[in-house]
Amino acid sequence: MSTVEDPIHILWINAGLSCDGDSVALTAATQPSIEDIVLGTLPGLPKVSVHWPLIDFESGPEQGADTFIEWFRRAERGELEPFVLVVEGSIPNEDLITGEGYWSGFGNDPQTRQPIPTSTWLDRLAPRALAVLAAGTCATYGGIHAMAGNPTGAMGVPDYLGWDWKSKAEIPIVCVPGCPVQPDNLSETITYLLYQASGQAPMIPLDDQLRPRWLFGATVHQGCDRAGYYEEGQFTTEYGTPECLVKIGCWGPVVKCNVPKRGWINGVGGCPNVGGICIACTMPGFPDRFMPFMDEPPGAHVSTLASGVYGAVIRRLRAITAHKADIEPRWRHRDVHAHRDSADQREKVLT
Ligand code: SF4
Ligand code: SF4
Ligand code: SF4
């Protein structure tokens, strides 16, 4: 447990097989923002020291990469505690390399000046970390780089370290998937871990895919602005219309993701809300299990047929009720007749 004097370090490795999209996404977080975390504007948040290649001055050419990497070397030597290790990008299988070379590396070995493979950093740092957080679908489940037939043997952090792996603080790997990750989902999870690390929050609640339960407990469909159209059996076959997108490839009914509810930046956006189909980018089987994108998902034919029939009846009945509900009561009209009838009318409405 840290004291007020000792900051909790966040060591960020973005050198898995990665496009850096999750680092970029985090810069858009607002609830809380990365500035809130770093500057400690949240009540009770412990001091943090972030070592994040995307924005760290020390990772620039002027200072030389060694200045930045030295934080990681210190952590490896046990001189930097406590720290949370954030991993972005999938972990390639270096055992598949037979000759010279490597799939992905992070910094150089000071003696040999050879790159240090990302997987070696995981081997060195995970045992010393307070918690390991996998950010984005590549780091959590392999993602795009782990598609069938890829030559790298790419995998997510739980496949590399083991799904039952726990940190020295008994915290399982924390997975925040998304391609890229929804900014606030990541900043909120980092914040939770910081509160937990400082003894102010209980063990982070994770589901069986190691996702924070409160973020990934509901489906896209359950939070979608278009769900009313689905229920009334109104499906579009083209973009730019307000109806449900399932016939043009939306996987929302079976995908665990809070983006339609939470929006993308500052509450705005959220794939199907703003016209994009859900391609299931948070799911462990992404992308292989959800391709080809833009085809109607299997099973959707039957469910849309059922809700099409049900929806047609419901729409008709609702239209009658909606018409009645959309008229002002007669006794509020100015004409005398209406006032004479008002007592009778009120009685009818109340009974
Ligand atoms: Fe990039 Fe998506 Fe992988 Fe993140 S999960 S590193 S955004 S490809
Ligand atoms: Fe569900 Fe997708 Fe239709 Fe939204 S657009 S209601 S998530 S199927
Ligand atoms: Fe990914 Fe679907 Fe969530 Fe959009 S709604 S972020 S495509 S899982």
Side-chain angles (χ1 to χ4, degrees):
M1 192 179 295
S2 69
T3 66
V4 177
E5 293 75 35
D6 300 326
I8 297 179
H9 295 270
I10 296 177
L11 294 181
W12 190 300
I13 293 181
N14 65 339
L17 298 174
S18 152
C19 73
D20 283 1
D22 308 292
S23 280
V24 174
L26 186 59
T27 62
T30 58
Q31 294 175 340
S33 69
I34 190 67
E35 292 87 348
D36 290 335
I37 297 172
V38 173
L39 299 175
T41 59
L42 303 173
L45 199 70
K47 265 201 247 171
V48 293
S49 177
V50 181
H51 311 284
W52 179 22
L54 190 82
I55 58 164
D56 201 314
F57 287 123
E58 291 179 345
S59 73
E62 297 231 335
Q63 287 76 12
D66 269 356
T67 319
F68 176 74
I69 290 295
E70 188 56 27
W71 291 103
F72 295 76
R73 294 193 188 121
R74 284 180 61 193
E76 179 193 347
R77 295 193 295 266
E79 297 167 6
L80 196 79
E81 296 210 355
F83 70 89
V84 173
L85 180 64
V86 179
V87 181
E88 179 179 4
S90 46
I91 311 302
N93 186 350
E94 302 293 344
D95 293 341
L96 297 179
I97 304 260
T98 46
E100 285 197 353
Y102 62 99
W103 294 119
S104 74
F106 189 65
N108 292 332
D109 183 293
Q111 266 82 49
T112 66
R113 307 309 297 170
Q114 290 300 307
I116 301 171
T118 306
S119 54
T120 303
W121 278 115
L122 260 181
D123 296 339
R124 293 175 180 177
L125 298 184
R128 294 192 182 275
L130 197 70
V132 173
L133 195 166
T137 301
C138 289
T140 52
Y141 309 125
I144 289 171
H145 308 99
M147 284 181 74
N150 87 83
T152 67
M155 65 194 102
V157 175
D159 282 315
Y160 186 78
L161 290 179
W163 284 80
D164 296 330
W165 183 92
K166 286 191 177 160
S167 73
K168 63 181 187 180
E170 288 294 301
I171 304 174
I173 298 163
V174 178
C175 289
V176 189
C179 185
V181 68
Q182 199 277 351
D184 296 325
N185 282 351
L186 184 53
S187 64
E188 195 173 293
T189 305
I190 292 172
T191 305
Y192 190 104
L193 286 172
L194 291 172
Y195 279 127
Q196 184 181 336
S198 55
Q200 298 174 82
M203 179 60 76
I204 186 166
L206 304 175
D207 67 14
D208 56 4
Q209 299 299 319
L210 303 175
R211 298 168 288 212
R213 280 183 189 279
W214 77 94
L215 296 174
F216 292 91
T219 64
V220 170
H221 190 65
Q222 285 164 334
C224 179
D225 283 357
R226 296 171 191 252
Y229 287 103
Y230 186 104
E231 193 239 354
E232 292 191 354
Q234 292 178 284
F235 309 106
T236 186
T237 51
E238 57 187 25
Y239 288 100
T241 63
E243 295 88 7
C244 167
L245 306 165
V246 71
K247 292 237 168 257
I248 52 174
C250 183
W251 279 84
V254 295
V255 170
K256 290 183 176 173
C257 171
N258 63 354
V259 158
K261 275 274 197 205
R262 189 157 211 178
W264 198 261
I265 298 178
N266 215 7
V268 178
C271 310
N273 291 354
V274 289
I277 58 171
C278 171
I279 57 170
C281 78
T282 57
M283 297 293 272
F286 175 81
D288 305 63
R289 289 211 167 144
F290 306 95
M291 292 170 69
F293 299 142
M294 299 182 182
D295 278 8
E296 185 177 357
H301 188 65
V302 175
S303 60
T304 53
L305 198 68
S307 73
V309 173
Y310 161 86
V313 176
I314 288 297
R315 271 208 314 280
R316 215 167 270 250
L317 295 174
R318 275 191 193 145
I320 298 167
T321 312
H323 178 69
K324 285 188 177 172
D326 206 23
I327 299 171
E328 196 185 47
R330 186 168 147 70
W331 66 80
R332 292 188 197 157
H333 295 188
R334 195 173 173 180
D335 62 282
V336 182
H337 224 50
H339 278 284
R340 276 202 200 118
D341 292 348
S342 64
D344 295 347
Q345 289 281 351
R346 269 199 301 271
E347 207 162 304
K348 266 188 208 164
V349 167
L350 294 172
T351 52

